[in-house]
Amino acid sequence: MSRFKDKVALVTGAGNGMGRSHALRLAREGATVVVADVNAADGAAVCGEITAAGGRAVFQLLDVTQEEQWKQACSRAQKDFGYIDVLVNNAGIIIYKTLLDTSTAEWEKVMAVNSTGTYLGCREVGALMKGHGGAIVNVSSVLGSVAAPGVAAYQASKGAVNMITKSAAAELVSFNIRVNSVHPGLVATPMIKDFVGDPQAVEMLLGPTLIRRLARPEEITNVVAFLASDEASYVTGAAYMVDGGFSTV
Ligand SMILES: NC(=O)c1ccc[n+]([C@@H]2O[C@H](COP(=O)([O-])OP(=O)(O)OC[C@H]3O[C@@H](n4cnc5c(N)ncnc54)[C@H](O)[C@@H]3O)[C@@H](O)[C@H]2O)c1
C-alpha cells in the first residue's frame, strides 16, 4: 500500500512503543516521517530503521509540553517539506497513583504531556495545515472514558484529549482538516513494562477486556493509519475504541 505517498507525517513520542510502530508504518506506506521525541537516542534509532528500510525520515527533538519546540518543529517542517499532512499526537506518560496519593506536581506533569501536548500539537500543526488540509489523530486511551482505580491523573488527562479532539474537529473542518481520536486498551509497550512479565498483573489490568490478551502496537497502528489516510475522508470527531472490547461491558 502507498496511502501516504508524497505526504509528510509528524509522529510524537515516535522513539518507542506505539509511536515507533506508527512511524514505521506511515513510512512504509510512503510518508516522509518527522520522528519527534524528547528522547534523542530512541528517536534517531527509529529514523535509522526507516531509512535502512528505504524510507524517508528526519528526527526532531520535541518535548510536546514546550510551545517553543512545537514552533521550531513546524518551522523546520515548513522549510524542509512545505507542509505537514498528518499529525499523530501519540506522546504520553502515566503515573500509577490514586487521586488521594497524587501530588499537584504529578498531576500537572501528566496533564502537561498528555493534554497540553495534544492541544499544542493541534494548535501549531493545525495552523500549518490550514492552507492545504490534513488529518490529525490524537491518542487517548480506554481509560479516558472508563474509570479504573489507581490512575487518576492519567484518566483526567485522556478525558481532556477526547474533548480537544471533538472541538478541534468542529473548528478545523472548514480548513479540510479531520481530527479523530484512538483509544487503545492494554498494549505491550515499554509504558507497561513493569507488568508484562507478570501474568497475574496482566490478568488484573485486562479487567473486562473481551479479547483476553495484550494488544500488539501494530494493532493500534492499523487504526491510526486508517484515520490518517484518505480512506477515512468522511470520518472526523470520532473516537475509535481499539481496546479488545474493554469498554463494551
Ligand atoms: N501502552 C498502553 O497500554 C496504552 C494504552 C492506552 C493508551 N496508551 C497511550 O498510547 C500512547 C503511546 O504509549 P506507549 O505505550 O507507546 O508509551 P511508551 O512509554 O512505550 O512510549 C512513549 C514515547 O513517548 C515519548 N515521550 C514521553 N514524554 C514525551 C514528551 N514530553 N514529549 C515527546 N515525547 C515524549 C517517550 O520518550 C517514548 O518514546 C500514549 O499516549 C499512551 O498514553 C498506551
Side-chain angles (χ1 to χ4, degrees), residues 154-238:
Y154 184 76
Q155 295 205 295
S157 72
K158 292 299 189 179
V161 170
N162 303 350
M163 278 316 295
I164 292 166
T165 303
K166 289 181 189 298
S167 61
E171 292 181 4
L172 299 180
V173 68
S174 55
F175 303 114
N176 196 25
I177 302 169
R178 296 180 299 99
V179 190
N180 294 289
S181 57
V182 167
H183 305 241
L186 208 58
V187 189
T189 70
M191 180 175 272
I192 61 158
K193 64 179 181 315
D194 294 345
F195 306 105
V196 284
D198 179 349
Q200 261 183 325
V202 169
E203 186 55 29
M204 192 196 74
L205 287 170
L206 283 171
T209 305
L210 298 179
I211 300 172
R212 301 296 307 164
R213 63 170 175 80
L214 302 177
R216 298 183 297 277
E218 307 79 58
E219 294 178 300
I220 314 305
T221 297
N222 290 337
V223 180
V224 169
F226 162 69
L227 290 170
S229 78
D230 292 341
E231 284 178 44
S233 53
Y234 199 60
V235 184
T236 198

Side-chain angles (χ1 to χ4, degrees), residues 3-249:
R3 289 182 291 185
F4 302 102
K5 187 172 175 296
D6 298 328
K7 301 217 169 179
V8 179
L10 188 152
V11 182
T12 69
N16 223 319
M18 279 182 261
R20 170 179 169 274
S21 169
H22 306 331
L24 293 176
R25 168 69 71 82
L26 295 174
R28 207 163 60 235
E29 292 199 35
T32 297
V33 179
V34 180
V35 174
D37 206 291
V38 72
N39 183 322
D42 285 356
V46 171
C47 269
E49 279 188 79
I50 291 173
T51 49
R56 285 181 303 278
V58 293
F59 171 65
Q60 177 68 45
L61 186 66
L62 174 63
D63 178 342
V64 295
T65 67
Q66 301 301 308
E67 183 172 338
E68 204 42 50
Q69 293 187 21
W70 271 109
K71 289 187 186 301
Q72 284 164 8
C74 288
S75 306
R76 180 190 177 193
Q78 191 167 30
K79 183 168 149 288
D80 291 356
F81 310 119
Y83 43 74
I84 294 174
D85 298 284
V86 170
L87 167 66
V88 184
N89 276 314
N90 162 82
I93 59 169
I94 192 166
I95 292 181
Y96 297 99
K97 290 255 178 108
T98 64
L99 180 66
L100 297 186
D101 288 338
T102 303
S103 69
T104 308
E106 288 167 336
W107 170 272
E108 286 176 347
K109 188 173 175 195
V110 173
M111 295 301 282
V113 177
N114 297 357
S115 309
T116 308
T118 300
Y119 147 71
L120 287 173
C122 289
R123 194 186 76 188
E124 295 300 320
V125 178
L128 187 57
M129 284 175 169
K130 260 171 85 172
H132 67 280
I136 299 176
V137 183
N138 293 330
V139 179
S140 180
S141 168
V142 67
L143 295 178
S145 312
V146 175
V151 281
Y154 184 76
Q155 295 205 295
S157 72
K158 292 299 189 179
V161 170
N162 303 350
M163 278 316 295
I164 292 166
T165 303
K166 289 181 189 298
S167 61
E171 292 181 4
L172 299 180
V173 68
S174 55
F175 303 114
N176 196 25
I177 302 169
R178 296 180 299 99
V179 190
N180 294 289
S181 57
V182 167
H183 305 241
L186 208 58
V187 189
T189 70
M191 180 175 272
I192 61 158
K193 64 179 181 315
D194 294 345
F195 306 105
V196 284
D198 179 349
Q200 261 183 325
V202 169
E203 186 55 29
M204 192 196 74
L205 287 170
L206 283 171
T209 305
L210 298 179
I211 300 172
R212 301 296 307 164
R213 63 170 175 80
L214 302 177
R216 298 183 297 277
E218 307 79 58
E219 294 178 300
I220 314 305
T221 297
N222 290 337
V223 180
V224 169
F226 162 69
L227 290 170
S229 78
D230 292 341
E231 284 178 44
S233 53
Y234 199 60
V235 184
T236 198
Y240 271 65
M241 294 292 172
V242 195
D243 63 356
F246 185 112
S247 54
T248 305
V249 288

